[in-house]
Amino acid sequence: MAAPRPPPARHSGVALTAPIPDLEALRALTALFKEQRNRETAPRTIFQRVLDILKKSSRTVELACRDPAQVENVASSLQLITECFRCLRNACIECSLNQNTIRNLDLIGMAVDLVLLFRELRVEQDSLLTAFRCGLQFLGNVASRNTDSQAVVWMHAFPELFLSCLNHPDRKIVSYSSMILFTSLNAERLKDLEENLNIAIDVVDAHRRQPESEWPYLVISEHFLRSPDMVQTLYAKMSNQERVTLLDVIIAKITGDEPPLREDVPVFLSHAELMASTFVEQCKMVLQLTSEQLADDEEVLATIRLLDVLCEMSTNTELLSYLQVFPGLLEKTIDLLRLVHVAGADGTNIFSTSSSVRADGDVSSVVEGFRSHLIRLIGNLCYKDKANQDKVNELDGIPLILDSCKLDDHNPCILARPAPQLPETEPPASQPGACSCHTPPLCPPCPFPSALSWEGHIAPPPAPDCSWGHLCLGIQGTRRVCLERHRAGPLPLAPPGLPPAPWHLVCPPGGSARSEPTRLLPRPPSPLSSGRSRASKLG
């Protein structure tokens, strides 16, 4: 028969909490394992002792889960479990020897079982959350850069741990479970994930709810986007809110500091096929915005984001070549621009932007961004593609684009910047290099909004002694319309050896039109840190 537990110590009539055995020793080990030399010389017996403490404490937790009356006895066990996880977490940092020892002692399985038990425990929230978080940090660290440990973590954690943690209300638990998923995934396990899409959808939703968290983003960008089948299946199963989140990650991946590598191009060609085919099928859904009742329709917003993705893809040479020949993409884009333009002229609706432009040139309606992206996509699809240039001409796309470029509140290409001042005098008609089509003196602005952005670009060389910069949109050389770039004074020459700015179509004096690709305005940098530390913070 076990000896009765001694009563709490008393001092001056005040009950003092009895010290918890092994707790101070564990805290000392946690501090020692902050040093690399201590981690590398740790004997196996230390981890065996930690395992024994975890087994004993886990039995108390199991009893508390089955019998609510035992909950009052679980506080000391939670403290011991928390400190055990901290000790193991620190011991695994950049030390494969400790990772292997811990794995061989089956501490990984013990940790996963305890984390799953925490879901059923009804105790004081802070102490439970601390143990929960430290357990997930340990699992992330023990799997970091260790393929054998990753396999064991995946065997014990998939799918139950991810299904329960990715939807947890605590943000840190969601982030740490995403870290474990990112660390453990590979091409083979991604196939397991395709058979359990709820986990993948939960990751996308976690990024939607916590865009500042790096780990859900990395799971999507570094694993999901490498599998065209995964993306296609996910897009069909997700809600429209989640689709917008996935499309935002694709945009960030294409435009980020680490764009897709050459070996990733075949994968992104598959993504381009999905984006283009979906846009061709659903693009007219945007016209539902003419009804105020459907102005916030999430399906329409997903379609608008599809256009954003296609615009970004069209600035990549390999992806542009594919999009230029995609059946129906150019025709649907021109047709949609025409319908949107007509809808805006018919009356007062979300496509009618009259009086929506403030004094600083900002356009309040997001639909104006949609119209300008339609024009951007048309311009990029025509880059060095005579068939598409002819097609724009045959579909009367030039008058449509020019009609969208009047200097009024209906112009979708007005940027959020003050309108530039125009010279009061027109250039001489006999000026060498001046375009004969320069009438009237003040031509409409370039239909490509990025042409008005000067930061980070090299301006095209002007005609000799000419203070005007001219842009000519050449369509088969038969219909050329001079589009005036509004900028007072002469434009700077490009440095020797550099091509003209990659966002205009230039008509040299006496020659045919020479095309350069239009470029989109750069997106703001991602708030995500570029660092990808696999080890949790010490402490």
Side-chain angles (χ1 to χ4, degrees):
M1 179 176 177
R5 178 178 297 181
R10 289 182 176 271
H11 180 69
S12 301
V14 179
L16 301 178
T17 304
I20 301 174
D22 299 316
L23 183 59
E24 292 304 319
L26 285 170
R27 287 173 176 169
L29 276 176
T30 301
L32 285 173
F33 283 150
K34 292 182 180 181
E35 300 292 335
Q36 181 68 26
R37 55 189 174 86
N38 294 332
R39 294 195 291 268
E40 293 173 350
T41 57
R44 177 188 175 93
T45 53
I46 288 180
F47 303 112
Q48 181 65 57
R49 177 58 182 154
V50 172
L51 176 61
D52 294 338
I53 297 173
L54 277 177
K55 285 182 177 179
K56 181 179 179 181
S57 301
S58 65
R59 286 193 289 270
T60 306
V61 174
E62 289 178 5
L63 287 174
C65 291
R66 291 197 296 264
D67 183 7
Q70 300 293 326
V71 168
E72 60 183 19
N73 302 322
V74 83
S76 60
S77 296
L78 279 179
Q79 290 188 57
L80 284 171
I81 291 172
T82 300
E83 208 57 50
C84 283
F85 284 153
R86 284 175 175 157
C87 175
L88 295 172
R89 176 197 67 189
N90 289 5
C92 290
I93 297 175
E94 296 181 357
C95 188
S96 58
L97 178 62
N98 288 347
Q99 289 176 323
N100 296 336
T101 300
I102 289 170
R103 180 185 70 249
N104 294 334
L105 288 172
D106 198 28
L107 276 161
I108 294 176
M110 172 68 68
V112 173
D113 291 342
L114 273 171
V115 167
L116 294 177
L117 272 177
F118 290 158
R119 300 174 305 171
E120 307 171 20
L121 196 58
R122 299 293 179 264
V123 295
E124 192 267 326
Q125 188 73 2
D126 289 342
S127 61
L128 178 62
L129 281 179
T130 303
F132 206 148
R133 294 167 183 170
C134 289
L136 294 176
Q137 287 179 330
F138 158 60
L139 291 173
N141 282 9
V142 76
S144 177
R145 301 188 181 97
N146 191 310
T147 54
D148 292 335
S149 294
Q150 290 167 10
V152 174
V153 169
W154 186 261
M155 179 181 66
H156 287 283
F158 182 83
E160 192 173 359
L161 182 140
F162 299 114
L163 287 171
S164 61
C165 293
L166 289 171
N167 288 311
H168 199 278
D170 184 73
R171 302 172 74 86
K172 290 185 178 181
I173 287 177
V174 173
S175 179
Y176 296 155
S177 58
S178 300
M179 173 186 66
I180 299 171
L181 185 61
F182 173 80
T183 305
S184 304
L185 272 176
N186 57 22
E188 182 180 352
R189 292 172 197 135
L190 199 60
K191 296 178 182 178
D192 295 338
L193 206 59
E194 291 175 9
E195 298 175 2
N196 200 325
L197 279 177
N198 287 335
I199 295 177
I201 294 175
D202 287 343
V203 173
V204 177
D205 190 57
H207 180 55
R208 180 187 65 83
R209 291 182 284 111
Q210 300 177 211
E212 74 285 353
S213 178
E214 183 177 18
W215 294 110
Y217 171 83
L218 289 176
V219 173
I220 301 169
S221 62
E222 301 301 323
H223 290 294
F224 293 177
L225 294 188
R226 295 185 185 275
S227 172
D229 293 338
M230 166 73 82
V231 172
Q232 185 172 3
T233 309
L234 265 181
Y235 197 84
K237 297 286 186 181
M238 291 188 302
S239 69
N240 287 301
Q241 276 188 331
E242 292 158 351
R243 288 173 179 171
V244 170
T245 302
L246 178 64
L247 296 174
D248 283 339
V249 174
I250 294 176
I251 292 174
K253 183 67 176 177
I254 296 174
T255 62
D257 296 334
E258 299 179 9
L261 303 175
R262 183 169 296 275
E263 53 264 30
D264 294 331
V265 168
V267 173
F268 275 83
L269 284 174
S270 299
H271 299 334
E273 179 182 7
L274 173 63
M275 303 297 107
S277 60
T278 307
F279 181 76
V280 168
E281 294 173 2
Q282 302 179 0
C283 62
K284 290 189 178 179
M285 198 172 298
V286 177
L287 297 174
Q288 295 178 4
L289 290 173
T290 55
S291 170
E292 293 183 1
Q293 296 178 351
L294 296 176
D296 295 327
D297 190 350
E298 294 173 358
E299 191 171 7
V300 175
L301 296 179
T303 304
I304 292 176
R305 188 67 84 249
L306 275 173
L307 177 62
D308 298 341
V309 174
L310 290 173
C311 282
E312 299 292 355
M313 286 182 167
S314 68
T315 62
N316 180 284
T317 305
E318 290 84 358
L319 300 181
L320 174 62
S321 300
Y322 177 81
L323 292 175
Q324 286 176 322
V325 297
F326 191 87
L329 179 59
L330 180 60
E331 294 89 335
K332 284 286 187 179
T333 306
I334 295 174
D335 187 38
L336 183 59
L337 178 61
R338 179 177 290 108
L339 293 173
V340 168
H341 187 70
V342 171
D346 278 349
T348 302
N349 53 56
I350 197 167
F351 294 109
S352 302
T353 57
S354 182
S355 302
S356 69
V357 181
R358 299 193 292 269
D360 59 357
D362 187 20
V363 180
S364 61
S365 174
V366 70
V367 178
E368 289 307 306
F370 177 77
R371 293 174 63 192
S372 67
H373 276 197
L374 287 173
I375 299 174
R376 291 184 185 193
L377 183 58
I378 293 171
N380 284 1
L381 294 177
C382 288
Y383 171 57
K384 290 185 178 180
D385 192 308
K386 183 176 181 296
N388 282 352
Q389 292 175 350
D390 293 343
K391 196 173 295 183
V392 172
N393 190 22
E394 294 165 2
L395 296 174
D396 290 330
I398 298 178
L400 177 64
I401 292 175
L402 291 177
D403 203 27
S404 298
C405 299
K406 296 177 181 178
L407 289 176
D408 58 19
D409 284 351
H410 295 280
N411 186 347
C413 303
I414 296 177
L415 300 181
R417 58 174 36 225
Q421 297 296 319
L422 303 179
E424 296 181 358
T425 59
E426 62 181 87
S430 60
Q431 180 68 48
C435 296
S436 59
C437 57
H438 182 67
T439 55
L442 301 182
C443 299
C446 172
F448 306 105
S450 53
L452 295 179
S453 178
W454 300 92
E455 294 79 11
H457 295 290
I458 299 171
D465 302 321
C466 181
S467 62
W468 292 69
H470 297 283
L471 300 179
C472 291
L473 180 60
I475 306 295
Q476 200 180 351
T478 58
R479 295 185 67 180
R480 300 195 314 192
V481 182
C482 176
L483 303 177
E484 178 58 42
R485 181 200 308 278
H486 294 292
R487 181 170 170 85
L491 298 177
L493 291 171
L498 290 180
W503 33 251
H504 63 78
L505 304 175
V506 180
C507 178
S512 59
R514 181 180 78 256
S515 299
E516 297 292 345
T518 60
R519 294 284 187 182
L520 298 178
L521 287 173
R523 282 181 166 268
S526 171
L528 298 174
S529 170
S530 59
R532 298 181 184 176
S533 173
R534 308 285 181 90
S536 297
K537 185 178 179 181
L538 293 171

